[in-house]
Amino acid sequence: MAELRADELPTAMEMARALRAREVSSEELVVRVIRNVERWQPAINAFSQLWADEALTEARRLDGLREPGGPFAGVPVAVKDLYDVAGHETTSCSAAYAGNVVATDAPVIAALRRAGLVIVGKTNQHELAAGGTNAVSACGPTQNPWDRARITGGSSGGSGAAIAAGVLPWALGSDTGGSIRIPASLCGTFGLKVTNRKLSTEGMLPLSPSLDTPGPMAATADDLAALYAIMAEQSPQATLPEPPSAGWRIGLVGGYFTRTTRPEILAVVRSVAELLGGVGARTEPVDGEGIDDVRSVWRRITYSEFLAAYSRLPPERYERIAPSVRSWMEQGSAYTPDDIADAGYRWQEIGVWFRERLKDVDALLVPTTPYWAPRHGEDKIDVGGEIVDLQVVTPGWQSCAANIAGLPAVSLPAGHSPEGLPFGVSLIGRADAEETLLALARLWEQAAAYTPTYPAL
């Protein structure tokens, strides 16, 4: 493949087609990704581990096969540092897990291997996935490629930054309260949170086992759909059928999802609704009142489960965890049994709230994040004339609701701030309706004539 500028980065679909046509080798693609990592890593710190020699060996092996493997065999991919990859450390970017070399692949990693993807390394993340900024990591903070003074969002910030910079077209993240969708929003990529328990979480260092979900991030809707299909072992194709443009019903949600949010973001949510309406989807307002406590419910569930997941760490390892991450466990220990019981009750009620609102629509349209990427170190921000504390109105202010409901959600890179910073809009679907959300993502991409653009280094 000829040397291309960053803004000509091939998609995973294009890579797959070129590989099958023998127009390019897997080795050439992997070399290119490695060079991209080496160019961008000093600026954005998106990777925690790079396995250049191992990836090249695997690419050459695939190139030497007489018959090609699956439709994406030979395409490079990166994975978040909390996934077990045989022969490598799984640290979740925490010093407490330094030297934690594992012997077997996590099931979703094994699925990537069976599809013939070449894993080039692991991406940086917020330590133990316990935060939405990616500023806290034993590997150092990740910088937003659009403005290195700003956060990427987290906890899958390394994957989001690498895709946004054009290092590679797709990567794995995980999502417990928005950890795929937040960096997708703040970096300007697509990201899919799957239905709770749809994909195996075995071989992943946990945050909150009841809410943790693996998932894909990508530069295009087609690549997102293909990587999801690979993770779910659904026989992905290198070409996808055209999505229908009529018959979809979209609920435009008010209430909780419109409060404490930049007005520019709400304007883009409305513009996405209008765009989808212009290609045949029917949009209608949906009452968003009644879940103002969803963030509190999420915290009680997550913090208490986080404490339980790491309660047996030896003291010398526990002390290596960053204080801000330990504070989540400490808050978990402060909850009473009544606090937990009340959260469990509201957890079920919020699930019913979403199911009722999805009875007559295919998806709910909401902001992904309440603001675009804040600067590193900012503790307060203006949200439409209201000054909010970023420790309270976190990047996951709205995204955690889909995790509590257990529902799939996809973030679309639909908007830009006056300064040119990206932000996302999300569609939340019914349980197990990932294909519907992916079809709607592709419909929006086509209607908006969206193509990914990449920042200069």
Side-chain angles (χ1 to χ4, degrees), residues 1-4 9-10 15 19 24-40 47 50-60 63 74-77 118-120 166-168:
M1 180 177 285
E3 188 67 24
L4 299 173
L9 179 79
M15 290 181 179
L19 282 164
V24 69
S25 68
S26 178
E27 181 180 2
E28 288 174 285
L29 294 175
V30 170
V31 165
R32 178 167 178 190
V33 168
I34 291 167
R35 287 176 179 168
N36 286 345
V37 176
E38 291 170 345
R39 287 177 61 240
W40 276 95
F47 277 74
L50 177 64
W51 309 325
D53 291 343
E54 180 179 317
L56 286 168
T57 297
E58 175 62 7
R60 291 172 189 136
D63 288 336
V75 176
V77 69
V118 180
I119 303 171
V120 299
V167 170
L168 77 177

Side-chain angles (χ1 to χ4, degrees), residues 291-343:
I291 57 167
D292 280 2
D293 62 339
V294 67
R295 188 72 185 169
S296 170
V297 173
W298 181 86
R299 283 177 168 146
R300 280 177 281 169
I301 293 166
T302 300
Y303 293 175
S304 58
E305 290 194 354
F306 189 40
L307 172 67
Y310 294 96
S311 60
R312 296 185 180 180
L313 271 181
E316 64 274 13
R317 289 176 60 194
Y318 179 82
E319 289 166 5
R320 296 178 198 160
I321 298 172
S324 64
V325 174
R326 292 203 307 265
S327 73
W328 282 29
M329 300 182 196
E330 291 158 5
Q331 289 180 65
S333 68
Y335 293 132
T336 67
D338 285 346
D339 292 331
I340 304 302
D342 178 67

Side-chain angles (χ1 to χ4, degrees), residues 179-390:
S179 287
I180 283 172
R181 291 160 290 147
I182 294 166
S185 176
L186 302 190
C187 293
T189 77
F190 290 86
L192 176 67
K193 181 259 175 214
V194 304
T195 304
N196 288 22
R197 293 175 291 280
K198 180 107 175 186
L199 298 176
S200 173
T201 57
E202 183 185 346
M204 293 168 56
L205 281 178
L207 171 55
S208 176
S210 295
L211 304 179
D212 294 342
T213 55
M217 302 177 71
T220 70
D222 281 0
D223 285 357
L224 188 76
L227 187 52
Y228 166 69
I230 289 167
M231 295 175 73
E233 300 196 87
Q234 292 181 347
S235 301
Q237 301 299 316
T239 58
L240 296 177
E242 293 293 313
S245 60
W248 298 113
R249 298 164 300 169
I250 309 297
L252 188 58
V253 189
Y256 175 77
F257 288 99
T258 59
R259 288 193 280 273
T260 319
T261 301
R262 294 287 312 223
E264 299 93 332
I265 293 176
L266 297 178
V268 169
V269 173
R270 291 191 294 271
S271 73
V272 169
E274 292 168 3
L275 192 66
L276 291 172
V279 292
R282 188 174 78 243
T283 61
E284 56 191 70
V286 171
D287 175 25
E289 301 295 348
I291 57 167
D292 280 2
D293 62 339
V294 67
R295 188 72 185 169
S296 170
V297 173
W298 181 86
R299 283 177 168 146
R300 280 177 281 169
I301 293 166
T302 300
Y303 293 175
S304 58
E305 290 194 354
F306 189 40
L307 172 67
Y310 294 96
S311 60
R312 296 185 180 180
L313 271 181
E316 64 274 13
R317 289 176 60 194
Y318 179 82
E319 289 166 5
R320 296 178 198 160
I321 298 172
S324 64
V325 174
R326 292 203 307 265
S327 73
W328 282 29
M329 300 182 196
E330 291 158 5
Q331 289 180 65
S333 68
Y335 293 132
T336 67
D338 285 346
D339 292 331
I340 304 302
D342 178 67
Y345 180 71
R346 283 295 293 147
W347 186 0
Q348 300 303 315
E349 287 188 327
I350 291 167
V352 171
W353 186 97
F354 273 95
R355 289 194 294 275
E356 288 176 347
R357 280 151 183 80
L358 282 160
K359 280 180 182 177
D360 299 320
V361 297
D362 296 293
L364 303 173
L365 183 61
V366 299
T368 302
T369 51
Y371 39 74
W372 44 84
R375 291 179 177 84
H376 281 281
E378 272 190 303
D379 55 6
K380 288 183 169 51
I381 194 169
D382 185 340
V383 179
E386 178 187 1
I387 304 301
V388 300
D389 186 335
L390 293 180

